[in-house]
Amino acid sequence: MPSERVAAGVWRVPTSGRARDNAFLVAGDEGLTLVDVGWASAPGVIAAAVAELGRELRDVRRIVLTHAHPDHVQGAAEMRERTGAELAVHEADAPWLPEGRVPRGGRSGTLGAIVDLLPKAHWRPFTADRTLVDGETVDGLAVIHTPGHSPGHIVLRHLATGTLLVGDAVFHHGRTPGQGPGALAADVTTRDASLRRLPLDVTAVGFAHGRPLTGDGVATYRDWLGSKVTRTPGG
Ligand SMILES: [Zn+2]
Ligand SMILES: [Zn+2]
């Protein structure tokens, strides 16, 4: 599947079959930022997408991981080697990267704990070059800490276009958005509370899993989020 423009300067790169997993490329003042990588097979797909945009791998100046789960980070060490990019993750997930897997206690349910024992769910251990915190901006992308799916899960808001890259805070496999299996989250209560941190006023939504929402389609996201959280006026 070829990459797809989500907004000006934001492209979705499907990294596995049937659009299950997506990375995103974002053009900023400092070059390209890659948001998430994917499984071990993802770097080749992303390299092809960068070439398709008429850019070179060294134009990828930064890799930002929305969180430290294998389907987002397994190819990250290789991608950093191929690009020379600075690799950033929220400070609460940074300790998981050198573990090479989601550590014991990193999932709320038994299913998740079993998944993390499988070699397929492991990655080559590596460390981040930089850690992120809520409220900072990385080359035009504002960091919103949305803990719960993992302790350091982040959502990124592209300030130039109002595009929201939600990572695994919201999935879009079916007709409407939804949340992933609770057993795969670190803490379901915290995850659900973090939905309040997601902005409603966005122009496009890019999901790590599923199809993006753009144009009038964004109403689907707003309606779903509005039904999940009640907000005080102006909140
Ligand atoms: Zn995840
Ligand atoms: Zn994921």
Side-chain angles (χ1 to χ4, degrees):
M1 226 180 135
S3 60
E4 167 191 357
R5 184 182 175 278
V6 176
V10 182
W11 296 270
R12 167 209 191 192
V13 184
T15 56
S16 66
R18 292 191 297 165
R20 284 199 66 81
D21 308 308
N22 304 305
F24 291 86
L25 284 164
V26 182
D29 293 338
E30 300 167 23
L32 292 173
T33 294
L34 173 65
V35 176
D36 283 331
V37 179
W39 296 103
S41 58
V45 180
I46 293 166
V50 170
E52 199 184 305
L53 295 177
R55 309 290 281 264
E56 296 181 36
L57 278 178
R58 59 160 190 237
D59 294 333
V60 179
R61 305 302 304 152
R62 192 166 287 115
I63 300 167
V64 177
L65 303 172
T66 59
H67 63 297
H69 277 171
D71 54 320
H72 298 250
V73 313
Q74 204 176 61
E78 182 187 335
M79 204 67 222
R80 175 166 59 182
E81 285 163 10
R82 289 171 77 152
T83 58
E86 175 190 72
L87 194 149
V89 68
H90 188 273
E91 61 179 9
D93 270 17
W96 288 14
L97 300 178
E99 297 280 331
R101 53 161 286 181
V102 174
R104 218 172 293 276
R107 311 270 195 177
S108 65
T110 311
L111 170 69
I114 291 169
V115 165
D116 293 327
L117 292 173
L118 305 173
K120 193 188 177 322
H122 297 170
W123 60 82
R124 175 150 61 97
F126 62 98
T127 54
D129 302 307
R130 172 179 177 181
T131 54
L132 304 171
V133 294
D134 183 67
E136 73 177 288
T137 299
V138 185
D139 198 13
L141 292 167
V143 174
I144 305 170
H145 186 207
T146 51
H149 181 74
S150 72
H153 188 282
I154 58 170
V155 163
L156 297 161
R157 184 183 173 89
H158 186 231
L159 297 172
T161 63
T163 301
L164 196 66
L165 300 178
V166 296
D168 282 7
V170 189
F171 287 65
H172 190 218
H173 283 317
R175 286 196 300 133
T176 57
Q179 288 172 292
L184 298 181
D187 186 300
V188 174
T189 307
T190 309
R191 178 195 72 170
D192 293 352
S194 282
L195 286 179
R196 294 178 173 280
R197 310 211 75 219
L198 298 182
L200 279 169
D201 57 331
V202 299
T203 59
V205 185
F207 304 86
H209 304 289
R211 291 167 291 105
L213 290 170
T214 58
D216 293 344
V218 177
T220 314
Y221 160 82
R222 279 194 213 102
D223 292 348
W224 175 80
L225 186 58
S227 74
K228 299 293 285 184
V229 300
T230 46
R231 289 170 191 246
T232 51

